[in-house]
């Protein structure tokens, strides 16, 4: 879905990571990395955001595949948790592999453990679970199990690496792409990705695609195109906060 916090605010894409239709609730889990997500994190209970639109894009393929390996990296663990729940509800055996830079950045591991048939944890620094990358664990899991599908959600470099390991073992990998999105309707062209040499818009055609056909190099390059502007916007926000936020409450 795409949310906008306030009039004049940027639109940002976030994933629905849980829902309770009876109560009319959805859950989002987000990482504060730039201006809008930091502002979102500052909101108090009872405050409201201006608007949101969703769910957008194509629904994920959901059926009994057999044995599915779900790989989640960083904040990508939030949508993977939701997926594990859905896959289990239609009878799949789910082996989950989650990873983060360190144990403090690893989210939802208790919930993942509860839902998965098997859970493996990897941290880059070895502070929790196995020291190393999720792909090291995936390689071993694929060597020891007959796996029908891999689903990977996380940083682009992780999804590219997972796809590589999957291909080496002859297993299909589905990835959830996170290009920069603006309108979420297929009109602005911001989320353009190349999949199987064809132009696709992740907001309407995705966000999920077969990893094997995704041009990850192009995606990485396109995701870097506003780095300067994003850093400048964060600096302005921080400066605004330091010099006048406490005195005037100015945002
Ligand atoms: C389909 C999709 C689902 C996502 N789901 C989640 C989620 O559930 N939880 C979560 O924490 N994050 C999620 N993200 C990433 C989230 O959209 C960005 O973290 C957020 O837009 C950053 O905005 P900012 O203003 O805080 O930071 P900025 O300073 O604007 O950006 C920091 C970094 O975030 C990325 N980014 C910025 N704007 C966008 C944008 N409009 N679209 C995509 N990436 C952007 C860029 O790589 C950039 O380098 C998702 C992204 C996509 C495309
Ligand atoms: S976000 Fe504009 S085309 Fe997809």
């Amino acid at each position: 879905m795409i949310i906008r916090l306030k009039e004049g605010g940027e639109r940002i894409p976030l994933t629905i990571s849980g829902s309770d239709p009876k109560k009319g609730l959805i859950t989002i889990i987000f990482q504060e990395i730039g201006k809008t997500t930091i502002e979102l994190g500052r909101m108090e209970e009872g405050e409201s955001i201006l608007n949101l639109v969703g769910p957008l894009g194509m629904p994920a393929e959901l059926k009994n595949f057999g044995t599915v390996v779900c790989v989640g990296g960083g904040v990508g663990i939030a949508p993977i948790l939701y997926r594990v729940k859905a896959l289990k509800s239609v009878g799949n055996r789910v082996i989950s592999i989650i990873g983060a830079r360190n144990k403090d950045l690893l989210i939802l591991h208790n919930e993942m453990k509860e839902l998965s048939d098997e859970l493996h944890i990897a941290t880059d620094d070895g502070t929790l679970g196995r020291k190393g990358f999720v792909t090291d664990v995936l390689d071993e899991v694929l060597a020891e199990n007959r796996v029908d599908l891999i689903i990977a959600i996380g940083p682009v470099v992780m999804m590219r690496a997972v796809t590589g390991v999957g291909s080496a073992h002859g297993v299909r990998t589905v990835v959830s792409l996170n290009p920069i999105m603006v309108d979420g309707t297929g009109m602005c062209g911001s989320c353009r990705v190349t999949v199987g040499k064809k132009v696709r818009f992740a907001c309407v055609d995705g966000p999920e695609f077969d990893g094997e056909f995704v041009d990850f190099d192009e995606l990485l390059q396109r995701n870097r195109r506003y780095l300067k502007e994003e850093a400048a916007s964060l600096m302005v926000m921080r400066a605004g906060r330091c010099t006048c936020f406490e005195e005037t409450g100015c945002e």
Side-chain angles (χ1 to χ4, degrees):
M1 63 181 195
I2 303 262
I3 72 165
R4 199 156 57 113
L5 299 188
K6 58 188 178 191
E7 202 57 62
E10 68 172 348
R11 300 171 178 88
I12 62 161
L14 292 172
T15 309
I16 297 172
S17 58
S19 65
D20 186 339
K22 277 194 201 132
K23 290 187 182 158
L25 291 178
I26 54 168
T27 305
I28 53 168
I29 297 178
F30 64 95
Q31 185 172 19
E32 296 182 19
I33 56 164
K35 181 175 181 289
T36 303
T37 46
I38 291 174
E39 283 182 347
L40 185 60
R42 275 200 215 156
M43 291 180 76
E44 303 283 343
E45 196 178 333
E47 279 189 80
S48 51
I49 61 166
L50 184 63
N51 46 40
L52 70 82
V53 57
L56 300 168
M58 301 298 288
E61 193 186 357
L62 182 63
K63 62 177 188 185
N64 191 338
F65 297 96
T67 298
V68 182
V69 176
C70 286
V71 188
V75 78
I77 298 169
I80 269 288
L81 175 77
Y82 200 29
R83 183 60 62 80
V84 172
K85 199 171 181 183
L87 288 163
K88 286 298 299 174
S89 74
V90 292
N92 289 281
R93 174 174 173 245
V94 179
I95 303 175
S96 299
I97 306 172
I98 55 174
R101 288 203 299 278
N102 58 53
K103 78 168 180 358
D104 297 331
L105 293 174
L106 194 88
I107 58 169
L108 302 167
H109 52 279
N110 291 331
E111 291 84 347
M112 285 294 290
K113 191 167 182 193
E114 211 166 286
L115 287 174
S116 313
D117 292 284
E118 227 177 88
L119 174 70
H120 301 265
I121 294 174
T123 48
D124 297 6
D125 64 357
T127 43
L128 194 67
R130 150 114 181 238
K131 186 175 192 299
F133 296 133
V134 286
T135 39
D136 303 330
V137 181
L138 177 65
D139 200 24
E140 290 169 11
V141 167
L142 294 180
E144 288 161 13
N145 295 269
R146 192 191 164 279
V147 170
D148 301 286
L149 180 71
I150 302 166
I151 300 175
I153 310 183
V156 178
V157 283
M158 183 207 92
M159 293 191 285
R160 178 172 64 180
V162 167
T163 302
V165 175
S167 296
H169 287 267
V171 184
R172 175 183 169 220
T173 302
V174 169
V175 293
S176 181
L177 298 187
N178 51 354
I180 292 181
M181 291 185 177
V182 178
D183 66 351
T185 65
M187 295 296 285
C188 72
S190 182
C191 68
R192 173 167 64 78
V193 287
T194 306
V195 184
K197 298 200 165 60
K198 289 196 180 120
V199 169
R200 291 279 180 260
F201 297 101
C203 69
V204 288
D205 302 318
E208 297 202 340
F209 298 98
D210 262 33
E212 193 189 337
F213 304 113
V214 172
D215 185 339
F216 285 107
D217 293 336
E218 180 195 59
L219 176 58
L220 280 166
Q221 201 186 3
R222 284 180 60 79
N223 273 0
R224 288 190 207 109
R225 67 198 193 279
Y226 298 119
L227 282 184
K228 248 204 245 161
E229 289 81 356
E230 286 154 2
S233 150
L234 187 58
M235 233 167 66
V236 167
M237 186 188 84
R238 289 217 163 113
R241 192 178 167 197
C242 292
T243 53
C244 67
F245 181 77
E246 279 79 6
E247 293 151 32
T248 64
C250 156
E251 305 231 6

